Amino acid sequence: DGGITQSPKYLFRKEGQNVTLSCEQNLNHDAMYWYRQDPGQGLRLIYYSQIVNDFQKGDIAEGYSVSREKKESFPLTVTSAQKNPTAFYLCASSRTGGVNEKLFFGSGTQLSVL
Amino acid sequence: DAKTTQPNSMESNEEEPVHLPCNHSTISGTDYIHWYRQLPSQGPEYVIHGLTSNVNNRMASLAIAEDRKSSTLILHRATLRDAAVYYCILRGGANNLFFGTGTRLTVIP
């Protein structure tokens, strides 16, 4: 089945630790996105990538880093600089970054701080 | 960035039609109107999108005002599986994807 796979579903981070969230898609999509969702809130854009080896900061990129070395993969690292990392993280993709393209979302990773 | 305004919550009886409104008075001419819905602890799911004309698909209909400053998502017969948070967003670019708090739809059996 085509789709987006996020792993792990739950992740715990210790103080001062970097953690990496995985996002893989087999839809052959060029564009990929990372969003953060806090309880009862909407989604906020962290980073996005419209093509391999290129990515751009979204609205809340501080404390996060990404890479896009392969078309199908867009991992997100939550660094120790992110002081409030507890949230639900969602990865999405679209065929291109065009405004007429619909987004496909993964099932999310819940990150909590120990 | 153009933003949208939606009611925080709405209720509907099962098998009744539901009209979910969205205001977007600052929409630009090239912004597409997208609707997604989200169940608890899941990623959002695409519902429908459009630019100027009304749109229909198997899930819903999208009615867009003539001046494009508002739109309405129409679920023709609400089922319990339609209970979710519905987001109306404007897409004007790859990074112009503002998801507000959406409308929480409760379907009453």
Side-chain angles (χ1 to χ4, degrees):
Chain A
D1 287 341
I4 299 181
T5 302
Q6 289 187 243
S7 61
K9 189 169 180 61
Y10 300 97
L11 185 59
F12 298 91
R13 192 192 90 165
K14 296 179 181 179
E15 293 287 342
Q17 185 182 40
N18 292 353
V19 292
T20 297
L21 284 60
S22 171
C23 178
E24 303 277 332
Q25 54 98 359
N26 60 3
L27 299 167
N28 199 33
H29 285 174
D30 283 325
M32 297 188 74
Y33 314 81
W34 274 106
Y35 286 90
R36 168 180 172 141
Q37 186 173 33
D38 292 284
Q41 302 299 310
L43 282 65
R44 291 184 290 169
L45 183 64
I46 305 173
Y47 268 98
Y48 67 100
S49 167
Q50 296 195 71
I51 198 167
V52 174
N53 292 321
D54 185 59
F55 50 83
Q56 306 294 329
K57 293 182 179 180
D59 300 321
I60 56 166
E62 186 174 350
Y64 300 97
S65 66
V66 293
S67 63
R68 186 85 187 277
E69 297 177 0
K70 297 186 297 183
K71 187 175 186 177
E72 60 270 23
S73 179
F74 191 41
L76 173 74
T77 296
V78 184
T79 74
S80 57
Q82 173 49 246
K83 299 306 180 187
N84 185 22
T86 296
F88 189 51
Y89 290 87
L90 287 157
C91 179
S93 73
S94 59
R95 193 174 63 89
T96 72
V99 297
N100 192 27
E101 299 291 342
K102 57 186 179 183
L103 298 176
F104 293 79
F105 284 85
S107 56
T109 293
Q110 176 64 51
L111 175 62
S112 302
V113 176
L114 293 176
Chain B
D1 290 343
K3 300 293 196 290
T4 61
T5 303
Q6 300 177 253
N8 288 333
S9 62
M10 292 185 65
E11 286 187 352
S12 173
N13 293 319
E14 195 176 8
E15 299 190 4
E16 295 282 324
V18 183
H19 291 232
L20 298 168
C22 181
N23 288 318
H24 29 78
S25 58
T26 60
I27 191 171
S28 72
T30 55
D31 286 345
Y32 273 78
I33 303 160
H34 288 242
W35 284 81
Y36 291 80
R37 68 183 185 184
Q38 185 179 25
L39 296 172
S41 300
Q42 293 188 26
E45 173 190 30
Y46 168 81
V47 178
I48 201 166
H49 76 287
L51 182 63
T52 56
S53 302
N54 294 344
V55 185
N56 299 294
N57 66 21
R58 64 175 180 82
M59 290 181 70
S61 296
L62 176 60
I64 301 173
E66 193 169 341
D67 64 5
R68 299 208 330 123
K69 293 186 177 181
S70 66
S71 60
T72 302
L73 178 71
I74 303 165
L75 307 179
H76 297 287
R77 289 179 70 240
T79 71
L80 297 178
R81 289 180 297 177
D82 292 323
V85 176
Y86 286 78
Y87 296 99
C88 165
I89 71 168
L90 302 181
R91 187 155 194 204
N95 63 334
N96 189 355
L97 293 162
F98 175 76
F99 281 77
T101 53
T103 297
R104 181 174 299 279
L105 175 65
T106 300
V107 179
I108 303 167

